Amino acid sequence: GENVEQHPSTLSVQEGDSAVIKCTYSDSASNYFPWYKQELGKRPQLIIDIRSNVGEKKDQRIAVTLNKTAKHFSLHITETQPEDSAVYFCAASTTNNNDMRFGAGTRLTVKP
Amino acid sequence: GAGVSQTPSNKVTEKGKYVELRCDPISGHTALYWYRQSLGQGPEFLIYFQGTGAADDSGLPNDRFFAVRPEGSVSTLKIQRTERGDSAVYLCASSSQGNTEAFFGQGTRLTVV
C-alpha cells in the first residue's frame, strides 16, 4: 500500500517568515494530495489539495507544489502568523484504491 | 449543514471489554474512512468503505477490530477484548466519493484502563 513520509516533524519559525513542509509518497498511482491542519484538540481540516494533473496550486498565503517524477509534494506558507501554529498533515490517495494515507505530521510553531 | 458526527466523544473501558464506536457521515457521502490517532502521531489508516462494502481493511491491526456499514451510511467500529494499547482517538471521515476532500468527525477518545 501507499506509504507517506513527512518532514520535518517539528518546525519553528518567526512570525512573518516562510515555512516549508515536505512529503514523499511511494505509490506512483497516487493522484490526489491533500493537506490538513489540526489544531490542538480539534479535528483535521483541509487547507489545500492538489491533483496530479497540476504542478502547483496557490491559495492566498499557502501553496502546494507537486513533483510526480520524484514523488514528492510540499506545503509552503508565507508571511506566517501565530494562528498558523498547528500540526499539519499531508496525505495521498489514488483513484483506484482511495484509501487515503497520512504522513506523521509536522508541528509548526510561529513565534510572535 | 451537519458534519460528520461521532459518538461517544469519550469512552473509558476496562481492559478485556468490548466497545463500539459510531460514525454518522455527511448525508450522501459514499466514502467513509476510519483512522486511529495516537498522541503526537498522524492519523493511522484502519479501514475504508465505499458504500456498504469495505474496499480496504488492510489497516485493521488484528482480528479484534471489525467495522460495518450495513446500509451505506452509519458505520460502527467494533473492538473486542480491548487492550491498553488500543487507547487513542478514533477518527472517522467521509467524502462524497473516494479521492476527494475528506471531512473529519471530532473523534472518539478511547481510554482502556
Side-chain angles (χ1 to χ4, degrees):
Chain A
E2 175 66 273
N3 181 47
V4 179
E5 294 194 355
Q6 184 170 348
H7 302 280
S9 56
T10 60
L11 178 60
S12 182
V13 299
Q14 207 64 38
E15 182 178 1
D17 288 349
S18 295
V20 180
I21 302 170
K22 300 181 179 182
C23 288
T24 61
Y25 60 98
S26 61
D27 189 345
S28 57
S30 290
N31 58 3
Y32 176 62
F33 307 93
W35 285 88
Y36 283 80
K37 176 182 180 182
Q38 187 175 30
E39 298 177 351
L40 190 62
K42 297 189 176 181
R43 72 191 77 188
Q45 293 195 306
L46 182 79
I47 55 170
I48 194 167
D49 56 13
I50 191 168
R51 294 192 180 275
S52 59
N53 58 343
V54 297
E56 183 175 358
K57 184 176 178 181
K58 191 172 182 181
D59 183 5
Q60 299 182 347
R61 294 186 301 107
I62 58 174
V64 57
T65 59
L66 171 66
N67 184 328
K68 280 190 65 71
T69 303
K71 289 191 280 190
H72 68 69
F73 55 113
S74 301
L75 177 71
H76 304 252
I77 306 174
T78 59
E79 301 171 29
T80 53
Q81 302 167 2
E83 50 266 39
D84 294 330
S85 297
V87 180
Y88 291 81
F89 296 102
C90 61
S93 72
T94 71
T95 300
N96 292 334
N97 207 16
N98 295 328
D99 55 346
M100 196 178 309
R101 306 295 178 120
F102 284 79
T106 296
R107 180 174 299 281
L108 173 64
T109 303
V110 180
K111 298 177 181 177
Chain B
V4 178
S5 175
Q6 290 186 246
T7 54
S9 55
N10 281 282
K11 176 71 178 179
V12 180
T13 190
E14 291 181 347
K15 179 176 178 294
K17 298 290 188 183
Y18 167 82
V19 294
E20 289 189 353
L21 312 180
R22 177 186 169 109
C23 173
D24 279 88
I26 293 173
S27 178
H29 279 192
T30 60
L32 186 145
Y33 308 81
W34 281 101
Y35 293 88
R36 177 169 69 177
Q37 188 174 30
S38 299
L39 193 63
Q41 300 296 314
E44 174 194 1
F45 172 79
L46 296 178
I47 187 169
Y48 161 68
F49 286 92
Q50 182 60 253
T52 59
D56 186 345
D57 63 358
S58 62
L60 296 177
N62 51 58
D63 61 6
R64 295 188 297 105
F65 289 75
F66 189 71
V68 295
R69 194 186 186 199
E71 297 179 357
S73 178
V74 171
S75 176
T76 305
L77 178 65
K78 308 180 180 189
I79 310 174
Q80 298 178 321
R81 305 184 303 280
T82 52
E83 299 176 356
R84 291 194 179 88
D86 298 335
S87 298
V89 175
Y90 288 80
L91 291 167
C92 174
S94 72
S95 65
S96 58
Q97 57 189 41
N99 221 25
T100 58
E101 178 182 0
F103 295 84
F104 281 85
Q106 192 69 16
T108 293
R109 181 176 298 279
L110 175 67
T111 304
V112 182
V113 297

